[in-house]
Amino acid sequence: MTEKDLPALNIADLQSLLRRREVSPREVLDALRARIEDVDGEVDAYLSTNFEAATKEAEKANVDLPLGGVPIAIKDIISVAGEPCTCASKILRGYRALYDATVIQKLRAAGAIPFGKTNMDEFAMGSSTENSGVKLTRNPWDLSRVPGGSSGGSAAAVAADAAFGALGTDTGGSIRQPAALSGIVGFKPSYGRVSRFGLVAFASSLDQAGPLTKTVRDAALIMNAIAGHDPQDSTCLNEPVPDYTAALGRDLRGVRLGLPKEYMIEGIEPQVKSAIDAAIAQLETLGAEIVDVSLPQTDYAIAVYYILATAEASANLARFDGVRYGHRAEDPKDLLDHYGRTREEGFGPEVKRRIILGTYVLSSGYYDAYYLRAQKVRELIRQDFAKAFEKVDVLISPTSPVPAFKLGERMDDPLQMYLADIFTSPANLAGICGISVPCGFAETDGHRLPVGLQLLGKAFDEGRILQIAHAYEQSTDWHKTRSPIAASMRDV
Ligand code: GLN
């Protein structure tokens, strides 16, 4: 293993080397830094890095801790004390976080080293990272395509071997979908499993932070570190945290996997469909039983999600008023002009669209027709899942109906972009957990574009979906296939 090859390692393998003292945390960090210098000019996954601070951490890292000496990339919506936290928005340009989010404190307590902040759709609103107010991020499998979003920088960094693992956030799919489009693992915990303290809120009843990694085991390792009660977040449940690696390796005999019939929609790209069909067949050979189930409210999920998420966003984003954080309009005539121009200049078009939508659905006269009704249908969606989970342990579907699309291709059609959240956003509405794991490729214009298989589990049953995803992953080679840009860096 040369230093140049270190960034290709997954977290579990990196840890073994670190614990055997075959490499030092400093060497690991230096190798990662060199890799980022080599590839990030093309991929543009990072908004900021701080290797000076990270080096100090690396020099005193305790490699015997669960993530001791492992550098982790952080989506720029999560507060890391002293570092920029811009949510890729012009309105937060220059803002630095004053404290560590709980997930960062927990990562540090486990020995991990946060060293850089990754690009994203502005305030996590989007599915392609093209809504970033800073720059585009490119998909490491085909640089003319999007990495997915909104945690696209985190996904692209891991896929390019420019991060060993990363944190993202998922409000309607933003961990799972970019993981699928970038050919890596993305894990969304159940609502209340991981603290939201120190995350910039998009939609508070839906947001969860979670890992993006090269393997399922790595996702379990990060979950071991970040899950658990936090008195600073009243929505974070006080439930014991199991060792998520403990169930890995068990076989799938007796496991019941549900196939929601409403998810077999026409819009699924044929190559995605065949990859999913093959994955289902593979899960059957591993001993799982496939059961047809129904989620009757599926048709309403996107509408409900985009009513509730925008309503909550319009309230959450009211705090960006130019008084306390970031951008402030120059020479305002009066207070209203100050608010108006600060927000006009600071927010990008998608964020404005959502604030307007959210304000509308909450306004008197429309509240009952939209917001209140959406809340009622949300409860029906939750019941759909509860009923399905009476029959099966886990649900399976594609993560995204399509593989990575071309940069710019969908920017003029927000509705088309929203509709592609059909398989991911219902899980957030129901508060359940989900994972995307690589399950094949779609060949397009001479490029191999990754396809993701989604597994959804009951609330607080994260161990179960990790177990099944791991068994599937280990029976395939998909996770071993690196993106072309990562492979080109190999010192073979
Ligand atoms: N694509 C969805 C949206 O635009 C999900 C975003 C997210 O999970 N943060 O809202």
Side-chain angles (χ1 to χ4, degrees):
M1 167 81 38
T2 69
E3 186 152 313
K4 196 153 182 257
D5 271 342
L6 280 174
L9 293 174
N10 61 44
I11 293 174
D13 290 344
L14 175 66
Q15 272 186 315
S16 321
L17 286 188
L18 283 164
R19 287 205 185 131
R20 294 201 305 264
R21 281 36 180 196
E22 286 177 30
V23 288
S24 70
R26 176 71 199 262
E27 284 164 341
V28 169
L29 193 68
D30 288 347
L32 184 64
R33 181 183 198 163
R35 170 60 55 90
I36 292 170
E37 276 162 16
D38 281 342
V39 300
D40 210 39
E42 282 180 280
V43 177
D44 267 326
Y46 286 93
L47 290 178
S48 60
T49 53
N50 186 347
F51 282 102
E52 217 176 298
T55 302
K56 284 192 196 127
E57 296 293 315
E59 267 157 7
K60 54 177 207 250
N62 174 359
V63 295
D64 295 317
L65 288 172
L67 294 172
V70 178
I72 302 285
I74 310 293
K75 186 180 185 179
D76 204 34
I77 198 166
I78 300 173
S79 303
V80 178
E83 299 302 320
C85 187
T86 69
C87 300
S89 179
K90 292 193 173 70
I91 211 159
L92 279 172
R93 197 157 46 190
Y95 171 70
R96 283 174 185 270
L98 300 172
Y99 59 92
D100 276 341
T102 299
V103 286
I104 300 299
Q105 288 175 24
K106 284 177 175 281
L107 278 183
R108 290 194 203 277
I113 305 172
F115 66 92
K117 307 295 297 287
T118 55
N119 197 19
M120 54 185 282
D121 287 298
E122 184 177 4
F123 288 106
M125 297 174 186
S127 309
S128 66
T129 312
E130 293 166 290
N131 295 332
S132 168
V134 183
K135 63 182 180 181
L136 295 174
T137 295
R138 293 167 185 277
N139 191 311
W141 296 85
D142 174 353
L143 296 171
S144 70
R145 292 178 187 266
V146 304
S150 66
S151 312
S154 288
V158 174
D161 286 345
F164 294 99
L167 287 190
T169 56
D170 191 312
T171 304
S174 279
I175 291 174
R176 292 160 286 159
Q177 185 264 15
L181 270 50
S182 300
I184 60 165
V185 172
F187 188 84
K188 183 201 98 71
S190 315
Y191 189 76
R193 180 73 286 190
V194 173
S195 167
R196 293 182 298 109
F197 180 72
L199 273 52
V200 178
F202 161 11
S204 310
S205 78
L206 303 160
D207 299 341
Q208 271 288 293
L212 295 100
T213 52
K214 296 174 187 174
T215 64
V216 176
R217 178 173 297 277
D218 286 1
L221 287 169
I222 293 184
M223 279 302 293
N224 279 353
I226 65 173
H229 182 53
D230 176 12
Q232 305 262 42
D233 173 3
S234 59
T235 64
C236 187
L237 266 63
N238 195 355
E239 290 279 326
V241 182
D243 174 1
Y244 291 113
T245 61
L248 304 183
R250 289 212 199 118
D251 72 36
L252 298 190
R253 260 169 302 170
V255 167
R256 292 164 72 84
L257 302 180
L259 215 49
K261 71 170 195 279
E262 291 79 5
Y263 284 13
M264 297 300 126
I265 54 171
E266 284 195 357
I268 303 179
E269 142 101 22
Q271 295 192 69
V272 171
K273 173 104 179 46
S274 37
I276 299 297
D277 288 345
I280 292 170
Q282 175 73 6
L283 285 159
E284 275 187 297
T285 64
L286 294 172
E289 186 190 340
I290 309 295
V291 181
D292 287 324
V293 295
S294 172
L295 299 170
Q297 310 297 328
T298 298
D299 270 358
Y300 306 108
I302 295 288
V304 168
Y305 170 80
Y306 277 94
I307 289 170
L308 298 180
T310 57
E312 294 184 27
S314 72
N316 277 326
L317 270 57
R319 76 193 60 173
F320 302 109
D321 56 7
V323 177
R324 287 163 292 185
Y325 320 90
H327 178 72
R328 175 178 296 188
E330 272 174 29
D331 301 326
K333 285 202 302 284
D334 53 30
L335 189 63
L336 272 187
D337 184 46
H338 161 92
Y339 291 153
R341 276 199 299 116
T342 295
R343 289 165 69 84
E344 162 62 28
E345 292 162 12
F347 290 135
E350 181 63 24
V351 174
K352 285 178 186 158
R353 175 159 37 236
R354 295 202 188 197
I355 292 173
I356 292 167
L357 261 171
T359 308
Y360 178 79
V361 300
L362 287 173
S363 59
S364 77
Y366 294 102
Y367 181 94
D368 288 2
Y370 294 108
Y371 182 76
L372 196 61
R373 186 164 302 180
Q375 287 288 27
K376 291 177 180 165
V377 182
R378 178 181 190 170
E379 172 56 20
L380 297 177
I381 290 170
R382 204 191 56 74
Q383 287 173 17
D384 271 4
F385 281 101
K387 281 195 200 111
F389 285 129
E390 284 170 11
K391 295 213 293 184
V392 297
D393 304 300
V394 159
L395 298 168
I396 43 181
S397 77
T399 306
S400 162
V402 292
F405 41 91
K406 291 263 188 202
L407 286 156
E409 190 181 289
R410 295 187 165 208
M411 279 306 270
D412 298 334
D413 192 351
L415 198 57
Q416 198 196 4
M417 197 86 100
Y418 298 172
L419 289 172
D421 295 338
I422 179 69
F423 303 130
T424 49
S425 58
N428 302 74
L429 292 168
I432 60 177
C433 56
I435 189 169
S436 180
V437 60
C439 74
F441 294 98
E443 304 270 344
T444 312
D445 314 330
H447 291 279
R448 302 216 289 171
L449 304 177
V451 177
L453 172 75
Q454 178 177 245
L455 304 174
L456 297 175
K458 287 174 219 166
F460 284 74
D461 202 12
E462 4 284 294
R464 183 50 80 95
I465 54 175
L466 287 164
Q467 177 217 342
I468 298 167
H470 177 78
Y472 171 75
E473 172 196 75
Q474 293 303 307
S475 74
T476 71
D477 277 335
W478 308 122
H479 63 295
K480 293 185 191 149
T481 318
R482 305 306 300 154
S483 65
I485 194 158
S488 74
M489 293 287 146
R490 287 253 166 121
D491 199 10
V492 270

